[in-house]
Amino acid sequence: MAANGEAGQEHEPEYDDEAIRFLAVVWGEGYLSPGGSQEVDRVLAGIDLSGKSVLDFGCGAGGVTLHIAKAHGPAEIVGYDVEQPVVDRARAAAVREGLTAQVRFIATPPSRLPFDDCEFDLVFSKDAMVHVPDKAALFAELFRVLKPGGRLAASDWLISHDGEPSQEMKDYIEAEGLSFGMASPSHYLQAMGAAGFADVSTTDRNGWYREVARTELERLQGALHAAAVAAVGEAYVAKNIRTWIAMQKVLDSGEHCPTHLFGSKPAGDLP
């Protein structure tokens, strides 16, 4: 998913219809990051969303948002993204599934979030914050739109350290061709704390995705190959196989560390 860029910058979509079709083959319809509904449920484990208001920051094509609506019972969930093509897909999916009374999707250019202060009980995000380079500004905005006592539960793609990325990591990011603003767990925790979040914590998911990505690559080269080629063509699939090979190297080294992120807005806090 992309919540790319910084306030005031022009934005060109990175996830076009071709990318959405390809990732649907690999990760499931409406999903632009791995793990499907099971990984969403792991992030939300132990959090009761019944009757709550939820923001899905970087909602992509809507698979995550619609799953939360169906499986976790919020009163309302708003999917937000800066990419119009994915939001168009998400809105169509909500109509097909009869969820428009519970779910709405909003697309705006990168800027201050188009929501009131203290609007949501929970902010969720699935592998989208990697596209936002200014983590301090990002978490300040997410803190602003949370109600006092509200919670942040997210996953994202992190780099394991604060130093210069390895050549293997640089090669992987170049192969992705996306606006990856990767940062370390310590950088995320610092930015979350500076924004005002309490009870901040992270859970390293490298071990999980290291093995899942290996299986994804095998399937792209085997069982999924024909379906992927039918969806987007041989050249597009070949490019992504090269990307998965580059990604596997930095997963195996531990430099690429998908991570769960948690925090809360103190009950007495106002923005």
Side-chain angles (χ1 to χ4, degrees):
M1 171 284 140
N4 316 47
E6 297 179 271
Q9 291 185 342
E10 292 296 321
H11 173 69
E12 290 295 329
E14 297 183 9
Y15 290 79
D16 58 14
D17 190 62
E18 191 173 40
I20 296 168
R21 293 199 311 272
F22 172 75
L23 294 176
V25 173
V26 181
W27 288 331
E29 186 64 38
Y31 285 85
L32 303 185
S33 66
S37 59
Q38 296 90 349
E39 185 67 0
V40 174
D41 291 343
R42 289 186 193 102
V43 176
L44 292 173
I47 300 175
D48 182 7
L49 295 183
S50 302
K52 302 293 180 61
S53 58
V54 177
L55 171 64
D56 180 9
F57 174 81
C59 63
V64 169
T65 318
L66 298 178
H67 170 71
I68 293 173
K70 291 181 287 187
H72 293 271
E76 180 187 45
I77 181 165
V78 180
Y80 169 80
D81 208 292
V82 301
E83 304 234 322
Q84 192 65 51
V86 294
V87 165
D88 290 343
R89 280 290 191 102
R91 286 172 176 162
V95 171
R96 286 196 305 271
E97 298 197 29
L99 292 170
T100 54
Q102 187 184 9
V103 179
R104 59 189 172 100
F105 292 98
I106 296 173
T108 66
S111 63
R112 179 181 169 92
L113 291 174
F115 306 111
D116 293 336
D117 295 350
C118 307
E119 187 167 341
F120 299 101
D121 295 294
L122 177 95
V123 170
F124 180 87
S125 185
K126 178 73 168 67
D127 306 334
M129 294 184 287
V130 65
H131 296 294
V132 183
D134 189 341
K135 309 305 180 192
L138 167 64
F139 285 113
E141 272 295 276
L142 299 182
F143 187 86
R144 178 184 67 79
V145 302
L146 269 177
K147 296 177 183 178
R151 300 178 69 175
L152 168 72
S155 68
D156 205 25
W157 284 23
L158 279 64
I159 187 170
S160 62
H161 58 86
D162 291 314
E164 180 77 6
S166 69
Q167 188 58 52
E168 289 78 13
M169 179 62 84
K170 291 177 182 177
D171 291 343
Y172 163 59
I173 292 173
E174 182 179 2
E176 282 281 11
L178 299 171
S179 57
F180 273 12
M182 297 184 86
S184 69
S186 61
H187 185 92
Y188 272 74
L189 289 170
Q190 181 181 27
M192 292 165 70
F197 283 99
D199 305 317
V200 296
S201 65
T202 63
T203 302
D204 189 334
R205 296 290 287 158
N206 170 274
W208 163 76
Y209 192 50
R210 184 173 66 241
E211 298 309 316
V212 168
R214 201 181 313 279
T215 300
E216 290 168 349
L217 176 58
E218 291 171 356
R219 296 180 72 215
L220 273 174
Q221 294 171 316
L224 285 181
H225 189 80
V229 169
V232 294
E234 181 68 51
Y236 196 94
V237 174
K239 172 192 176 297
N240 278 277
I241 287 174
R242 292 192 295 272
T243 300
W244 249 260
I245 291 170
M247 178 173 65
Q248 193 68 55
K249 292 178 182 178
V250 289
L251 285 167
D252 287 344
S253 73
E255 190 173 18
H256 178 10
C257 52
T259 299
H260 292 178
L261 306 154
F262 303 98
S264 60
K265 184 171 183 174
D269 273 27
L270 293 173

